[in-house]
Amino acid sequence: MADAATDDFLSLHRHGFVRAGASTPRVRTADIAFNRDAILAEARRAHEASLDLLVYPELCLSSYALDDLHMQAALLDSVESAVADIVEASAGLTPILTIGAPLRHNSRLYNCALVIAHGRLLGVVPKSYLPNYREFYEKRWFAHGRNIRGLTIDVAGMHAPFGVDLIFAAENLPNFKLFVEICEDYWAAIPPSSEGALAGATVIANLSASNITIGKSDERHMLARSQSSRTASAYIYSAAGHGESTTDVAWDGQGMIYELGDLLAESERFTLEPDLCIADIDCERIVGDRIRLQTFNDAAEAAGRPEDRFRTIAFHHEVAAGDLGLIRPIRRFPFVPNRQHRLDEDCFEAFNIQVDALMRRIQATGAKSLIIGISGGLDSTHALIVAAKACDRLGLPRTTIRGYTLPGFGTSDHTKSNAWKLMDALGITAEEIDIKPAARLMLDDIGHPFADGEPTYDVTFENVQAGLRTDYLFRLAGHHGGFVVGTGDLSELALGWCTYGVGDQMSHYAVNAGVPKTLIQYLIRWATRTDQFDRQTDAVLEAILATEISPELVPAGEDGAIQSTEEIIGPYELNDFFLHHIMRFGQRPSKVAFLAWHAWRDLDHGVWPAGFPEAQKNAYDLQTIRKWLENFLRRFFQFSQFKRSAMPNGPKVSSGGALSPRGDWRAPSDAVADVWIEELRANVPQGDDVPN
């Protein structure tokens, strides 16, 4: 049972994934037998790679650029015979095949996509929109299929559903529902796939023979990205390649796979060899996103509920079992910009969302000063540089910012020194208030053992200091006609790692509330790399980045070791990974563990954000991921919501989400985490069963 449970956890199908590919097979003009064999060769290669779905180019069985040869009876007879051969050969192959062929029906010729699986012709979809402009003359040969619904077609003695109203659904993969369109269809103002998606299809296949011209590749990317985003679906596009007739046009064999607007994979263009691009599509993620997007469901209703008039072609899909790996880009840092060519722009945007939000609050309040507690840690550092930029852009002197170091019992000389260096470098008004005398008085007043000399460093001991800091800052704001700029971040709100009411949970404006810890680290690093400030400031920022994250509320031990946040709540890079997948997509814990394991188990696998320091690259095994994920679930669902329900205003920064009760996340403060923890424990291996 243990081995079976581990195999189940390692199976991509268990977690809602479908392995899909776009194929550009060999092709020879009008050579049906050659093209049939080329299609089957790619189907066998896809079988070896454990694909569930393989999408071929338009008219790949006959070849596309045939002109009037399309209407030759001998060629059309040969096509039907080859279809029968492919259907028969598919019986022993895993992938569902979508191939292109010209087919006759009721004295008309149609440009068709055939869906074939496990020895069956499941259905035939005619092309809706026939290009008949510039180099295209399809209306000369083909009839359009826009209005074909509810019909059947005979192909080589096989009887199959025929129409544009077909959705192919695997009974044993609940969220895998396929709709097919052909080339020009997605250049239409309203592509057929829009209605197909509204009818329930999660995966859209496009068989294309789009010829290549300068800039057309970008246009295809734009259309596929847009359609996958608008229809909340996966979009697989496969275009004809080398071997098609170049009498008057040329071909590049472009293949690509998008999901919810994200590019998962693309093929090599202009290759002489058959190409196959593969990605694992998350059908469960697609369905989860649609649940959240009420506009999508409203559109389905406005379109007259297409699901009521579409036919569902159900079949049992023979999936490849066991550990097939995961062929899919998984971002270790889902909140951190990772597009190399857009890195500066993305970081600029994230940083300036905060700057602009703070500027508006300054204007709205007419504040005479901004009050910030400066600890020398990441969060207060980032809030301070955001405030400095806000003042610069508003034409206010940086002395408008009043920064205070508030050293307590655990404050180190190192962080206090960094705090002072940063305030000096930025030229703000800087002061220091030692909170230890006030803390001792309060501890004595409430009868805490520390007041009697006992080294009792409990939550009360910590919260007295955190509360005093906030109390001083709020009183200072009143005294100086300003407001308190909050420093707490999204990760701390998710974990409840903040003192409620009188601590870092509270401020007048929480400028960091939409920014997770990993993004704060990266934005500070970006600020130094792009010269947002002077060299003196950059040097201090780099020193702060190199300092271990600590609340510094407990005195260092005899060995000099300081209180470590991540030893208590887990690595922020894992917690932020968990947060993104649970908050944004509502994924079950076992799936989050599966994704985290694939993202983090190997230092050398996958892409790190540009410029990420080598020394800070970490790897985590499944046991470690499981441990910290359970801790996250308990803190996020059961412990921390009451702090989020009363959080101050602050800007949303990432599409990954925010935790304001006025924004992305609304939840009861008295919920329990049992459902999530039980799911994790039941479905993620532990002990001797944990895979390497």
Side-chain angles (χ1 to χ4, degrees):
M1 290 296 294
D3 289 341
T6 300
D7 288 344
D8 187 50
F9 173 77
L10 295 174
S11 169
L12 62 91
H13 299 101
R14 158 70 174 76
H15 300 288
F17 291 97
V18 169
R19 180 159 294 174
S23 171
T24 308
R26 296 182 186 277
V27 63
R28 186 181 293 169
T29 308
D31 191 337
I32 311 301
F34 179 91
N35 296 339
R36 174 202 62 200
D37 293 344
I39 287 168
L40 288 174
E42 286 301 284
R44 295 184 187 101
R45 184 153 72 115
H47 173 81
E48 292 300 316
S50 302
L51 263 70
D52 298 298
L53 172 65
L54 186 59
V55 180
Y56 291 91
E58 178 182 12
L59 295 175
C60 57
L61 187 52
S62 59
S63 72
Y64 175 82
L66 291 181
D67 295 339
D68 289 351
L69 300 187
H70 282 302
M71 295 185 290
Q72 289 290 311
L75 182 136
L76 296 174
D77 289 344
S78 182
V79 163
E80 289 203 30
S81 177
V83 168
D85 293 340
I86 293 170
V87 171
E88 181 180 3
S90 73
L93 300 174
T94 298
I96 301 155
L97 310 177
T98 62
I99 68 169
L103 295 178
R104 293 164 289 192
H105 177 74
N106 199 21
S107 303
R108 298 182 183 90
L109 184 64
Y110 292 93
N111 180 341
C112 295
L114 294 77
V115 180
I116 298 166
H118 316 308
R120 290 176 56 198
L121 175 59
L122 297 179
V124 177
V125 179
K127 189 172 183 177
S128 290
Y129 294 96
L130 304 176
N132 219 64
Y133 50 86
R134 297 195 296 272
E135 65 264 44
F136 301 108
Y137 293 91
E138 285 194 35
K139 290 183 180 180
R140 178 180 175 95
W141 312 298
F142 298 114
H144 75 77
R146 287 193 298 277
N147 301 319
I148 296 178
R149 298 174 183 273
L151 299 185
T152 57
I153 189 171
D154 291 315
V155 184
M158 296 174 286
H159 200 60
F162 180 49
V164 294
D165 58 341
L166 304 181
I167 291 179
F168 303 90
E171 296 169 321
N172 53 324
L173 298 174
N175 296 317
F176 175 37
K177 296 182 179 180
L178 173 68
F179 179 85
V180 182
E181 63 185 8
I182 302 171
C183 198
E184 184 76 8
D185 289 350
Y186 95 140
W187 265 274
I190 304 177
S193 57
S194 295
E195 190 175 38
L198 293 174
T202 53
V203 178
I204 299 165
N206 186 309
L207 291 72
S208 176
S210 167
N211 63 298
I212 188 61
T213 55
I214 295 171
K216 200 171 187 181
S217 171
D218 290 341
E219 184 181 7
R220 295 173 188 150
H221 271 292
M222 179 269 292
L223 290 169
R225 181 184 181 193
S226 173
Q227 191 65 352
S228 73
S229 182
R230 285 182 178 275
T231 60
S233 68
Y235 202 97
I236 308 166
Y237 178 89
S238 179
H242 182 79
E244 282 284 356
S245 171
T246 56
T247 298
D248 286 303
V249 290
W251 317 87
D252 64 334
Q254 184 170 22
M256 52 192 168
I257 303 174
Y258 276 87
E259 177 188 303
L260 298 177
D262 296 330
L263 178 62
L264 301 184
E266 59 182 318
S267 65
E268 180 183 353
R269 297 168 58 216
F270 298 108
T271 178
L272 299 183
E273 298 301 317
D275 198 44
L276 179 62
C277 74
I278 302 172
D280 292 333
I281 293 168
D282 192 345
C283 294
E284 195 173 69
R285 175 181 180 236
I286 290 167
V287 170
D289 219 38
R290 289 180 178 179
I291 290 172
R292 288 164 178 76
L293 295 171
Q294 289 307 313
T295 300
F296 180 89
N297 299 305
D298 287 347
E301 292 294 326
R305 291 179 55 85
E307 63 191 271
D308 295 340
R309 57 182 181 267
F310 269 65
R311 290 177 284 172
T312 297
I313 312 303
F315 63 99
H316 183 84
H317 178 49
E318 300 294 336
V319 302
D323 181 10
L324 305 177
L326 191 64
I327 304 174
R328 176 184 178 87
I330 306 176
R331 295 170 61 181
R332 289 178 173 90
F333 298 91
F335 290 104
V336 173
N338 70 335
R339 300 179 295 175
Q340 178 64 51
H341 65 293
R342 298 286 299 276
L343 183 63
D344 183 70
E345 180 181 332
D346 286 351
C347 289
F348 169 85
E349 194 167 50
F351 185 69
N352 280 281
I353 288 170
Q354 294 179 269
V355 172
D356 189 77
L358 184 57
M359 288 167 56
R360 180 70 186 97
R361 187 52 56 105
I362 294 169
Q363 292 172 324
T365 60
K368 297 178 181 178
S369 65
L370 304 179
I371 310 298
I372 308 180
I374 309 298
S375 68
L378 289 170
D379 292 344
S380 64
T381 294
H382 187 62
L384 178 54
I385 62 176
V386 167
K389 279 292 183 185
C391 287
D392 292 349
R393 289 182 58 188
L394 287 171
L396 298 172
R398 289 185 182 175
T399 51
T400 304
I401 304 167
R402 303 187 69 90
Y404 294 87
T405 62
L406 299 154
F409 299 114
T411 302
S412 69
D413 292 339
H414 177 68
T415 55
K416 190 169 83 167
S417 172
N418 280 341
W420 272 104
K421 288 177 182 177
L422 183 62
M423 291 190 293
D424 289 343
L426 289 171
I428 70 170
T429 302
E431 295 185 39
E432 181 172 309
I433 298 173
D434 186 348
I435 67 166
K436 292 191 290 294
R440 287 192 182 94
L441 179 60
M442 181 175 286
L443 291 166
D444 185 42
D445 287 344
I446 66 175
H448 192 274
F450 180 82
D452 294 326
E454 295 182 27
T456 303
Y457 307 131
D458 57 9
V459 173
T460 302
F461 176 80
E462 296 187 16
N463 285 352
V464 162
Q465 297 172 79
L468 279 169
R469 284 172 175 154
T470 302
D471 197 22
Y472 273 115
L473 293 174
F474 269 78
R475 304 299 77 78
L476 287 163
H479 184 54
H480 293 287
F483 64 84
V484 178
V485 177
T487 60
D489 63 50
L490 183 68
S491 306
E492 293 177 342
L493 285 165
L495 294 159
W497 191 249
C498 49
T499 305
Y500 179 74
V502 295
D504 47 354
Q505 178 266 348
M506 187 51 61
S507 64
H508 287 115
Y509 193 69
V511 74
N512 284 344
V515 190
K517 190 78 74 177
T518 49
L519 181 54
I520 281 179
Q521 290 172 310
Y522 204 75
L523 287 175
I524 294 173
R525 188 173 291 116
W526 166 81
T528 67
R529 306 288 163 81
T530 56
D531 298 322
Q532 298 296 311
F533 300 97
D534 57 33
R535 291 185 180 181
Q536 181 185 357
T537 303
D538 289 348
V540 184
L541 294 176
E542 290 288 352
I544 291 169
L545 283 168
T547 302
E548 182 173 3
I549 300 169
S550 172
E552 292 198 325
L553 293 169
V554 174
E558 293 182 3
D559 60 356
I562 64 169
Q563 184 182 18
S564 171
T565 295
E566 292 183 302
E567 286 183 5
I568 300 170
I569 61 172
Y572 274 114
E573 55 197 11
L574 282 184
N575 283 317
D576 283 356
F577 187 95
F578 303 153
L579 174 63
H580 176 83
H581 289 278
I582 287 171
M583 175 177 63
R584 174 64 181 84
F585 296 108
Q587 292 168 329
R588 63 178 61 88
S590 61
K591 182 170 183 173
V592 176
F594 176 79
L595 291 168
W597 183 60
H598 277 285
W600 288 97
R601 63 176 175 164
D602 185 352
L603 283 175
D604 299 321
H605 180 74
V607 178
W608 291 87
F612 196 89
E614 286 290 330
Q616 294 181 27
K617 292 181 178 179
N618 296 310
Y620 300 100
D621 58 26
L622 185 58
Q623 194 82 308
T624 302
I625 290 167
R626 190 181 189 277
K627 168 189 171 183
W628 291 120
L629 179 52
E630 181 167 333
N631 182 72
F632 175 89
L633 295 172
R634 183 174 290 105
R635 296 189 70 99
F636 183 75
F637 287 107
Q638 186 165 315
F639 170 70
S640 306
Q641 182 58 39
F642 77 100
K643 299 181 180 182
R644 299 190 287 265
S645 294
M647 63 180 284
N649 297 167
K652 177 178 177 178
V653 173
S654 166
S655 62
L659 290 171
S660 167
R662 300 165 297 276
D664 282 1
W665 186 258
R666 294 162 179 82
S669 296
D670 48 6
V672 294
D674 296 7
V675 168
W676 293 271
I677 292 173
E678 287 170 7
E679 198 282 335
L680 177 75
R681 291 177 176 175
N683 296 304
V684 179
Q686 60 179 322
D688 295 336
D689 302 326
V690 175
N692 295 323

